[in-house]
Amino acid sequence: MSQQHAAVNGGLPNGKVLTLESMNPNVKKVEYAVRGPIVQRAVQLEKELREGAKKPFTEVIRANIGDAHAMGQKPITFLRQVLALCAYPDLLEDNKFPEDAKQRARRILGACGGQSIGAYSASPGIECVRQDVARYIEKRDGGIPSNPDNIYLSTGASDAIVTMLKLMICGEGAGRTGVMISIPQYPLYSAALADLGAVQINYYLDEDKCWSLDLKELKRAVDEARKHCNPRAICIINPGNPTGQVQSRECIEEVIRFAKEEHLFLMADEVYQDNVYADGCKFHSFKKVLFEMGPEYSSTVELASFHSTSKCYMGECGFRGGYMEIINMDPEVKAQLTKLVSVRLCPPVPGQALLDLVVNPPQSDEPSHGTFIKERSAVLAALAEKARMTGEMFNTIPGITCNPVQGAMYTFPRISLPQKAIDKAKEEGKVPDMYYCMRLLEEEGICLVPGSGFGQREGTYHFRMTILPPAEKLKIVLEKIKTFHLRFIKEFS
Amino acid sequence: MDARTTQEIVQTVIDLSSGDLHRAGIGPVSFVRQVLAACLYTNLLRDDNIPLDARQRAQQFLDICPGGSVGVYSSSAVGMPYVLQRIAEFISRRDGGVTADPHKIIFNSGTQENLKLVLSLLSSGRDDLQTGVLTPVPSPHTLPRLLQYNRLSSVPYRLQQEQGWAVDVEELHRAVTDARAHCDPRALFICNPGIPTGHVQDRKSIESVIRFAAAEGLFLLVNEVYQDCVYGPGVEFLSYKKVLLEMGQEYSEHVELISFNSLSNGSLGECGLRGGYMELLNTDKVVAERLMVLMGYRSPAILPQSALEIMVNPPTPGEASYPTYTQEISLIHSNLSHNAQRGYEVMNTLKGVSCQPAMGGIFLFPRLDLPARFLEEAKTLGLQPDVLYSQMLVDKAGVCVGAGSENGSEEETCYYIRLSFAASSDTFQDALSRLCSFHHQLHETY
């Protein structure tokens, strides 16, 4: 028993109750590079700048996190008008608000307890919002039915992803649940798996083929994993984070077939579904493809798809809006899922309201339609241009190769580091790409996340940069990285 | 309850089970919503429909949001430093000037989330030897699922009904001693004001709990979300932190304490925004570090941080919105206070009902001595008597209350209902009348 036992006989314990040693071993393993040590250093540098310290740069550019508004992207007017009306309904009398915004606000408020966004909602979310989400999915997927009972609203997609993992993870030893995640991956997955004590099963995306999925690699990973755990799920992010690839339809069909053969639950993270830029690329929802493969698949493969208000054209990360749609889940398990979501009471109601607007935007016959379309198109066009610019620029730098940014919000270039630099990094107790990124931060004030935070093939190095800074600033950032890179290579040659 | 019945009574059901102020038609507080609206739609920063000081407050808040938008990720995973600073100042003022460190304050999407995080740290992560948490009986109805989620053992300690639901240290002793046979007790959870009991601890009581925790090597988790809902003459909320720091060094520098407060439960009642904070005291530095990492991928929302900033830093005399703000808060408070008193009096007039006064919080927790025939019927139906009582109450009288068994009361012969008095006084009066008729009828029938 713990040292607390000694305390029973009187007197105070010598140490603390909660220490590193006594802490839950699972939570100790959790890391999240996107907000990790390099970001902490960036915050420190910003503080020093504010206090008047002299640096080789006048500002720190935070290209580490997929936060569009922080980088100057403007919110969509219609969304904010409706939310303001929901927050302060007295404004429904204000004639500066368009009628369609007021109508949506009234409808949302009518579905809230006491007509207020300050009341708790039902745990799976406000009923009419779930219905609207289902309708949106049906429209998106060419009429394939969506049942509102299968829609669970969540606190961002992250909450829903963690909930699903929690539901699935069980067993001990060789029977412990294993979850397949892509390498590179968005580190929410590795963090959640560590936190929940699951076995992480890595499958490598093919950098030489534009980060596409390779069936042989999936098979290798799952066969290997079966020796020491019980693989139960496969997670896929499409469009990809950090890689930006948009999976082809054929690829998605292959993954579905693989999931069926290997009896795996499919988790499809589709939060970047509107962020598709490259010619020839198209977003195909896993659900749509599944149903178009016929009943042999559509009535058997278990699937959870995730979406959020944080990305796409909205960029409303701060609202924590999101949902998941569950397909073919065992009804008894679904009952457990419903119970599980009730632990966190309910998702933030403003986020639910925002989601309702995202799935229910102004229609062509409504007054706000014109402005809405204009604003949305401008955001997506700007992102597409920045995606193109970024891929192009990085490929002109000797020692840096970059796959095209087909979608999402990031670029994940590969950097070849001289052996001397690798040695220096080791000397300083840092992983080589962390060393590279720290140097870039200190010398140019640009904050990126090293590829080691996302996973990469042994012996390769990358960094993830967002494409979110305004185009003019992005050009400057790319130039600075080029200058730094050439200087760095020279130093260590 | 069948669908037809639901349809018929849906217009007239009075829901007194959850303590949600807005659902009950109380609030919101205007200034908070004016600020939020201006934060959301920045055109309003130039609109006279929003008072000037609300617009200024919104601008101040937007100034600390990167990009000037509330749609950003929280600059720190544990809450924006500006907001944490304000919370620290509030705590300091509340506790008579004692310093509060903003680096020991964590903002999250509510008490439930905060508690879940802390419990995940405390959990052994093993099922063969689970960490135990001492939990009061009765306790908040949302607590059992949290413990289950984190694979923790609940170690119940009974509150003393006849002493207004006070804590009894001997009972704490009994609980922890018995618990050591099957789990590893590491923490003590308590609510002050009590949920759903409404008991407010005096200094002596708080000190006795602190001494007990110190002696037994227990981490203190104190839910203080109803700290500004305190009623009755001479009743005063004292924070555990304040009391702890005024005890000798052997306690004040050692007892590990986390206190919780929230946007949901005070007079603002902003449950739907999902916001709350916790303050760490005497914890190992690794605790704050770990919480920061765990929260890294679960960024808290921005809007509730603005609302919370107002809650801890409301308009002051001289500011344009001060009179309205103060008046609205005051009305809410006096409404609740009036209902608490009225509810207590009325419940105690009912046959077989014994109710302790609510010194704080939002609930009454009356005990029901139910007729034997009713108990038999419940048994036949396979229902707990308090559940049957609640179901019949909503079916026949359109008043929804919580069954006491949700709050963990374990006695075999008496049952409880959880009755929130968060309602307008007219609605509450209506609910009380309906309940009285129903109760009277029940005793006649059985």
Side-chain angles (χ1 to χ4, degrees):
Chain A
M1 284 268 187
S2 56
Q3 68 179 33
Q4 280 74 267
H5 234 179
V8 175
N9 297 321
L12 295 170
N14 291 328
K16 305 234 180 237
V17 176
L18 189 55
T19 61
L20 192 62
E21 290 71 40
S22 67
M23 197 175 277
N24 181 350
N26 289 334
V27 305
K28 288 194 270 199
K29 299 186 217 130
V30 175
E31 281 169 357
Y32 181 68
V34 179
R35 281 194 191 262
I38 196 159
V39 180
Q40 284 156 30
R41 181 64 190 146
V43 170
Q44 178 62 31
L45 287 171
E46 280 172 336
K47 184 160 179 273
E48 288 173 20
L49 278 172
R50 271 197 309 271
E51 288 163 1
K54 284 273 169 287
K55 300 269 171 212
F57 45 86
T58 51
E59 66 169 324
V60 175
I61 297 178
R62 305 276 216 99
N64 59 293
I65 191 168
D67 190 340
H69 291 201
M71 290 287 108
Q73 181 178 305
K74 294 286 164 240
I76 302 291
T77 306
F78 182 76
L79 303 179
R80 294 304 191 85
Q81 286 174 332
V82 179
L83 290 171
L85 290 164
C86 289
Y88 188 49
D90 280 24
L91 293 170
L92 289 164
E93 308 304 314
D94 186 336
N95 57 19
K96 293 187 215 81
F97 287 87
E99 201 45 52
D100 49 1
K102 290 185 180 180
Q103 189 229 40
R104 289 217 184 19
R106 284 195 193 97
R107 182 164 173 276
I108 290 167
L109 289 172
C112 294
Q115 311 251 348
S116 164
I117 58 170
Y120 282 119
S121 78
S123 297
I126 296 171
E127 187 58 36
C128 80
V129 179
R130 295 167 76 195
Q131 287 167 4
D132 290 350
V133 169
R135 263 198 291 274
Y136 159 84
I137 293 172
E138 279 176 3
K139 214 163 131 188
R140 181 198 67 191
D141 293 344
I144 295 165
S146 175
N147 183 347
D149 281 343
N150 290 336
I151 309 288
Y152 289 82
L153 305 192
S154 55
T155 307
S158 303
D159 169 37
I161 291 165
V162 173
T163 299
M164 281 307 301
L165 291 174
K166 175 84 181 166
L167 194 66
M168 277 193 265
I169 290 163
C170 62
E172 301 294 333
R176 189 82 184 145
T177 301
V179 178
M180 297 180 71
I181 64 174
S182 63
I183 298 298
Q185 48 107 28
Y186 171 51
L188 155 73
Y189 290 91
S190 48
L193 293 176
D195 203 350
L196 295 167
V199 177
Q200 179 174 322
I201 303 169
N202 295 337
Y203 67 87
Y204 290 86
L205 298 176
D206 192 342
E207 185 162 16
D208 297 330
K209 295 209 178 82
C210 212
W211 297 114
S212 63
L213 278 156
D214 175 9
L215 199 56
K216 280 201 294 296
E217 168 58 14
L218 290 179
K219 192 79 176 103
R220 176 212 61 79
V222 79
D223 286 345
E224 188 56 45
R226 284 199 199 285
K227 296 178 190 162
H228 60 89
C229 72
N230 178 21
R232 295 185 85 194
I234 174 168
C235 300
I236 178 160
I237 308 173
N238 183 48
N241 176 5
T243 54
Q245 92 281 14
V246 177
Q247 297 296 347
S248 67
R249 199 205 163 82
E250 291 71 40
C251 216
I252 294 175
E253 285 180 359
E254 274 187 356
V255 175
I256 291 171
R257 258 178 238 119
F258 174 79
K260 181 167 161 58
E261 274 155 26
E262 301 292 338
H263 204 54
L264 298 169
F265 197 107
L266 245 175
M267 306 245 299
D269 179 341
E270 300 176 326
V271 304
Y272 296 100
Q273 54 190 263
D274 291 347
N275 300 110
V276 175
Y277 318 119
D279 282 335
C281 286
K282 188 165 177 259
F283 170 71
H284 301 280
S285 83
F286 262 80
K287 185 187 176 194
K288 180 170 201 279
V289 175
L290 176 66
F291 275 73
E292 287 171 354
M293 286 169 78
E296 182 199 347
Y297 292 93
S298 63
S299 60
T300 58
V301 176
E302 291 154 85
L303 167 70
S305 339
F306 305 92
H307 194 20
S308 144
T309 59
S310 304
K311 311 296 178 189
C312 295
Y313 64 90
M314 304 81 71
E316 297 280 14
C317 321
F319 286 84
R320 318 308 297 127
Y323 73 79
M324 64 175 161
E325 183 185 24
I326 311 288
I327 301 295
N328 292 327
M329 183 180 272
D330 179 299
E332 279 178 9
V333 177
K334 191 150 176 296
Q336 289 303 311
L337 173 60
T338 305
K339 211 171 90 174
L340 193 54
V341 300
S342 77
V343 177
R344 55 108 176 88
L345 304 185
C346 76
V349 176
Q352 297 187 48
L354 173 60
L355 182 65
D356 194 54
L357 302 172
V358 169
V359 299
N360 201 11
Q363 296 304 295
S364 51
D365 56 343
E366 292 182 295
S368 302
H369 183 254
T371 310
F372 175 80
I373 293 297
K374 206 170 99 183
E375 289 176 353
R376 186 179 77 181
S377 307
V379 168
L380 292 174
L383 287 170
E385 173 51 27
K386 291 188 283 189
R388 186 203 59 75
M389 183 203 309
T390 303
E392 220 174 69
M393 170 57 132
F394 276 132
N395 280 318
T396 67
I397 308 176
I400 297 188
T401 53
C402 187
N403 274 314
V405 179
Q406 294 176 340
M409 289 177 177
Y410 315 96
T411 178
F412 198 65
R414 178 155 155 197
I415 46 177
S416 65
L417 296 175
Q419 188 57 46
K420 286 195 183 137
I422 295 170
D423 295 337
K424 180 79 162 118
K426 281 204 175 78
E427 231 177 80
E428 295 204 1
K430 290 193 179 80
V431 193
D433 47 21
M434 173 62 94
Y435 176 69
Y436 179 93
C437 291
M438 279 293 198
R439 287 282 305 262
L440 176 63
L441 176 62
E442 299 287 345
E443 291 172 27
E444 303 289 345
I446 297 168
C447 183
L448 310 177
V449 188
S452 43
F454 303 87
Q456 55 205 345
R457 279 208 183 273
E458 185 77 39
T460 65
Y461 307 104
H462 301 77
F463 59 75
R464 187 188 81 167
M465 186 185 88
T466 70
I467 57 165
L468 298 174
E472 283 317 305
K473 197 170 256 185
L474 186 62
K475 277 199 193 95
I476 297 170
V477 170
L478 292 167
E479 282 298 333
K480 287 190 174 197
I481 293 176
K482 179 173 187 172
T483 313
F484 166 81
H485 185 84
L486 296 172
R487 194 170 64 229
F488 186 89
I489 297 303
K490 192 152 175 227
E491 182 184 330
F492 291 103
S493 58
Chain B
M1 228 173 27
D2 69 343
R4 178 184 50 81
T5 320
T6 318
Q7 271 306 103
E8 282 173 352
I9 61 174
V10 77
Q11 270 89 45
T12 62
V13 166
I14 302 176
D15 185 353
L16 298 179
S17 65
S18 72
D20 185 332
L21 281 174
H22 292 204
R23 178 172 291 273
I26 299 177
V29 171
S30 312
F31 184 75
V32 175
R33 295 308 190 81
Q34 289 162 346
V35 174
L36 292 183
C39 284
L40 284 161
Y41 183 51
T42 52
N43 281 24
L44 290 170
L45 293 169
R46 294 173 292 281
D47 189 330
D48 290 331
N49 279 321
I50 308 282
L52 182 62
D53 56 350
R55 287 185 268 145
Q56 284 167 340
R57 187 75 79 109
Q59 185 65 67
Q60 264 170 2
F61 189 78
L62 290 170
D63 286 346
I64 55 138
C65 295
S69 162
V70 292
V72 294
Y73 282 118
S74 183
S75 56
S76 157
V78 295
M80 323 260 270
Y82 176 85
V83 176
L84 301 180
Q85 178 62 37
R86 287 292 200 251
I87 296 171
E89 288 163 10
F90 160 77
I91 292 171
S92 184
R93 277 193 311 270
R94 179 197 69 189
D95 292 343
V98 178
T99 44
D101 180 0
H103 296 102
K104 295 290 191 313
I105 295 171
I106 300 205
F107 176 90
N108 203 345
S109 38
T111 307
Q112 197 75 345
E113 278 308 304
N114 267 335
L115 193 49
K116 197 208 279 190
L117 268 179
V118 173
L119 291 175
S120 79
L121 292 187
L122 279 164
S123 172
S124 66
R126 299 156 55 182
D127 285 328
D128 58 336
L129 181 62
Q130 286 195 342
T131 301
V133 179
L134 271 71
T135 55
V137 176
S139 75
H141 62 282
T142 51
L143 187 62
R145 62 190 94 160
L146 262 189
L147 296 175
Q148 219 182 19
Y149 185 95
N150 280 300
R151 294 152 75 193
L152 294 158
S153 287
S154 168
V155 178
Y157 60 91
R158 285 196 184 78
L159 298 172
Q160 305 305 299
Q161 195 193 191
E162 296 314 318
Q163 276 87 55
W165 297 111
V167 187
D168 174 16
V169 176
E170 273 173 34
E171 167 61 8
L172 290 177
H173 239 291
R174 183 224 41 89
V176 79
T177 311
D178 289 352
R180 290 206 165 98
H182 64 86
C183 71
D184 176 20
R186 280 199 201 167
L188 189 155
F189 174 87
I190 188 162
C191 301
N192 182 46
I195 307 168
T197 63
H199 176 77
V200 176
Q201 288 179 275
D202 61 16
R203 180 180 292 268
K204 227 174 87 177
S205 173
I206 296 174
E207 284 178 350
S208 69
V209 172
I210 290 171
R211 260 184 237 111
F212 172 78
E216 299 296 335
L218 297 172
F219 197 108
L220 267 173
L221 301 169
V222 187
N223 176 326
E224 297 178 327
V225 302
Y226 286 112
Q227 56 186 265
D228 79 343
C229 293
V230 167
Y231 323 113
V235 180
E236 194 200 352
F237 168 77
L238 281 172
S239 76
Y240 262 71
K241 181 187 178 194
K242 182 177 204 292
V243 173
L244 175 59
L245 293 177
E246 289 170 1
M247 293 167 78
Q249 242 183 346
E250 57 187 311
Y251 296 102
S252 63
E253 289 178 9
H254 292 99
V255 177
E256 290 150 84
L257 166 70
I258 298 186
S259 347
F260 302 86
N261 195 5
S262 164
L263 253 185
S264 308
N265 309 92
S267 311
L268 294 192
E270 295 280 8
C271 316
L273 295 187
R274 316 301 300 114
Y277 69 82
M278 56 182 168
E279 184 187 20
L280 280 57
L281 189 61
N282 294 329
T283 54
D284 188 301
K285 71 175 168 70
V286 78
V287 175
E289 285 165 11
R290 268 294 106 186
L291 287 171
M292 178 84 114
V293 174
L294 289 177
M295 286 194 60
Y297 63 89
R298 294 180 248 222
S299 244
I302 301 297
L303 224 54
Q305 295 193 51
S306 169
L308 190 68
E309 194 270 330
I310 296 169
M311 183 178 110
V312 298
N313 182 26
T316 48
E319 289 178 341
S321 299
Y322 174 77
T324 312
Y325 186 90
T326 326
Q327 195 185 57
E328 287 177 357
I329 298 278
S330 182
L331 263 169
I332 293 169
H333 194 267
S334 60
N335 182 16
L336 292 174
S337 180
H338 168 87
N339 287 352
Q341 181 62 24
R342 188 92 190 97
Y344 160 70
E345 284 165 1
V346 170
M347 293 311 293
N348 279 312
T349 65
L350 295 179
K351 183 172 184 179
V353 176
S354 149
C355 186
Q356 297 298 317
M359 300 156 73
I362 210 102
F363 295 109
L364 288 165
F365 201 65
R367 190 184 77 200
L368 314 170
D369 284 327
L370 295 163
R373 279 181 50 210
F374 181 84
L375 298 178
E376 271 161 36
E377 174 150 335
K379 202 162 171 199
T380 319
L381 290 170
L383 289 171
Q384 283 282 76
D386 53 351
V387 174
L388 180 60
Y389 185 98
S390 314
Q391 276 183 9
M392 288 173 65
L393 180 59
V394 73
D395 279 351
K396 293 185 167 28
V399 176
C400 182
V401 300
S405 44
E406 289 174 7
N407 299 91
S409 39
E410 291 172 4
E411 289 148 83
E412 278 180 14
T413 54
C414 31
Y415 303 94
Y416 296 82
I417 52 170
R418 178 183 74 246
L419 185 67
S420 149
F421 46 82
S424 71
S425 44
D426 289 344
T427 307
F428 192 63
Q429 185 55 49
D430 181 7
L432 286 175
S433 318
R434 297 192 203 181
L435 197 155
C436 288
S437 314
F438 165 82
H439 190 86
H440 183 71
Q441 186 72 332
L442 189 140
H443 273 267
E444 298 253 296
T445 313
Y446 291 88

